[in-house]
Amino acid sequence: MFIDVSNRFTVAPMTRTSADEHGVPTELMGDYYERFAKGGFGLIITEGVYTDDRASQGYVNQPGIINAAQADAWRSIVERIHAAGSKAIMQLMHAGAQMQHSNFVDQPIAPSAVQPKGEPLSLYGDVPGWLTPKEASLSDLEHALNSFVASAKRAEEIGFDGVELHAANGYLLNEFLSTHFNQRDDEFGGSLDKRIAFVERVVRAVRNAVSDNFVVGIRIGQITVTDNDYQWPEGEAAAVKLVRVLTDAGVDFIHTTDTTVDRKPFADNSKKTLAEVVAAETNVGLIINGGIDETNYADYAAQFPNALLALGKKALANPDFPERFKAGDTLADLDFQMLLPKATLENEWKWRAQQGVE
């Protein structure tokens, strides 16, 4: 196992937009994460945390890891997670074109000046539509890379067990892999190898900057938060190439996200899931996310005996899912009223109080 955890139950990263206006994590965020640890999850991956004071922030009240105040607040949270017996990985995220709010800039950056498809997510803020991003210059990309590195080093200093680079769901690193977002004609755009190049460079830089026993992983996937249909045009070959490059770059784990358990995820009609490609192509750790619940957890555990299994919606509905699952107790489905009108912790706590649910 790539990380010494008490079990395979993992909390998937979920955007909660509940830091203060300066990106400092709150006491309520500590309660939220500690609750999962006390509920029996062996590993908790945080929501996406912004990495610089330029264009990485994507949402209002998103937490950051760029200054002492933010770091000190996160230190308290990770101490609470550890005290409850769980391990913690911080997800590092650059919003790229999918910027709905920034305290620092008025225009997002992206591989090319291409807007995301669809509409911004109302759960995470009110904006009239996507902005057209600026095509990132080489200087912009160097700053973004250095910020990933600095953030990873800070996460290690304050006690996290590792970091996860967010290269899924349409954020900056994922955008470089996408032929929709990435229309560059330089060293970072065009062919599959070039589209992977910036992601590889970031992984290598982070891996080289932190201790050998500090875990460095990456989350990958084809789709974005507003485009569930996007596929890499090279099909399964793209996944195979990406996994091999990431392995060579030194990742300790790859975290896959698939839309559903039975979707054909590749443009060439391959019947493999992204998780199956990772399992076949590398010996690094694997975390699987996407539609996992009490009905199929055992099947996934059997098919992927060395993988950690990450829950999102089911974890929100059942912060003590591992304890309930092991005991054979009833498990609740997610009531989306918990996340309305915004997916904040304050609204979740109000919903729980109204429903009489802990």
Side-chain angles (χ1 to χ4, degrees):
M1 191 66 69
F2 68 90
I3 187 170
D4 184 16
V5 290
S6 59
N7 59 55
R8 298 165 67 180
F9 294 99
T10 300
V11 177
M14 291 175 280
T15 300
R16 300 315 306 267
T17 60
S18 294
D20 74 13
E21 63 181 324
H22 304 294
V24 177
T26 62
E27 187 72 16
L28 188 57
M29 288 174 61
D31 295 341
Y32 167 75
Y33 285 114
E34 182 183 46
R35 186 179 58 175
F36 292 123
K38 288 183 174 179
F41 283 94
L43 177 65
I44 297 167
I45 307 176
T46 74
E47 62 209 277
V49 179
Y50 68 79
T51 54
D52 66 25
D53 59 358
R54 292 191 187 176
S56 66
Q57 184 180 3
Y59 301 114
V60 65
N61 297 113
Q62 180 184 4
I65 185 62
I66 67 171
N67 57 44
Q70 293 170 351
D72 287 345
W74 276 118
R75 186 194 305 273
S76 175
I77 292 174
V78 76
E79 287 173 351
R80 293 173 68 176
I81 292 172
H82 285 161
S86 299
K87 297 296 177 66
I89 286 177
M90 176 179 282
Q91 187 186 73
L92 302 179
M93 173 188 135
H94 190 300
Q98 290 180 170
M99 185 187 85
Q100 293 189 205
H101 172 88
S102 174
N103 292 340
F104 310 105
V105 298
D106 295 324
Q107 185 181 27
I109 65 168
S112 303
V114 177
Q115 290 181 336
K117 294 183 179 180
E119 299 297 329
L121 300 177
S122 61
L123 287 176
Y124 305 131
D126 295 315
V127 291
W130 296 115
L131 298 171
T132 300
K134 170 197 169 190
E135 180 174 307
S137 66
L138 294 181
S139 176
D140 291 330
L141 297 181
E142 187 71 14
H143 179 85
L145 180 150
N146 290 335
S147 297
F148 274 115
V149 169
S151 297
K153 292 171 67 174
R154 190 170 286 117
E156 182 177 19
E157 290 167 1
I158 62 177
F160 274 87
D161 301 289
V163 292
E164 174 178 284
L165 304 175
H166 198 348
N169 301 110
Y171 300 109
L172 183 70
L173 296 181
N174 177 261
E175 290 168 10
F176 272 92
L177 304 174
S178 165
T179 50
H180 169 73
F181 286 107
N182 188 348
Q183 300 178 16
R184 300 173 74 96
D185 58 6
D186 63 1
E187 61 189 298
F188 297 127
S191 69
L192 177 61
D193 286 348
K194 289 184 177 181
R195 300 201 317 271
I196 293 174
F198 182 67
V199 179
E200 177 187 10
R201 187 172 295 186
V202 172
V203 170
R204 289 188 183 278
V206 171
R207 177 69 275 170
N208 291 335
V210 296
S211 302
D212 290 344
N213 61 352
F214 185 72
V215 172
V216 175
I218 189 166
R219 180 175 167 99
I220 61 173
Q222 298 183 91
I223 65 170
T224 74
V225 292
T226 59
D227 183 1
N228 282 327
D229 296 322
Y230 180 78
Q231 296 172 313
W232 296 320
E234 297 88 356
E236 183 185 336
V240 170
K241 178 69 175 182
L242 177 60
V243 168
R244 290 176 178 175
V245 169
L246 294 174
T247 301
D248 289 344
V251 294
D252 296 299
F253 73 87
I254 296 174
H255 182 178
T256 66
T257 176
D258 292 320
T259 51
T260 63
V261 295
D262 60 355
R263 177 176 182 261
K264 293 180 180 178
F266 298 115
D268 59 358
N269 294 319
S270 163
K271 297 186 183 304
K272 288 185 179 179
T273 65
L274 186 53
E276 288 171 337
V277 171
V278 175
E281 294 295 331
T282 183
N283 290 321
V284 303
L286 171 61
I287 302 177
I288 304 172
N289 173 237
I292 298 174
D293 59 21
E294 68 276 16
T295 68
N296 56 29
Y297 189 94
D299 293 335
Y300 269 90
Q303 182 182 359
F304 300 96
N306 298 314
L308 302 183
L309 305 179
L311 288 75
K313 294 175 183 177
K314 276 292 180 175
L316 283 182
N318 307 273
D320 56 351
F321 183 99
E323 301 298 332
R324 288 178 177 270
F325 183 73
K326 292 174 184 177
D329 293 341
T330 301
L331 288 155
D333 292 327
L334 178 65
D335 181 349
F336 274 92
Q337 292 300 313
M338 178 194 296
L339 306 177
L340 299 177
K342 305 297 176 190
T344 65
L345 294 179
E346 289 82 359
N347 286 333
E348 178 184 338
W349 257 248
K350 289 178 183 177
W351 178 90
R352 290 186 178 278
Q354 291 168 356
Q355 300 295 317
V357 177
E358 293 185 1

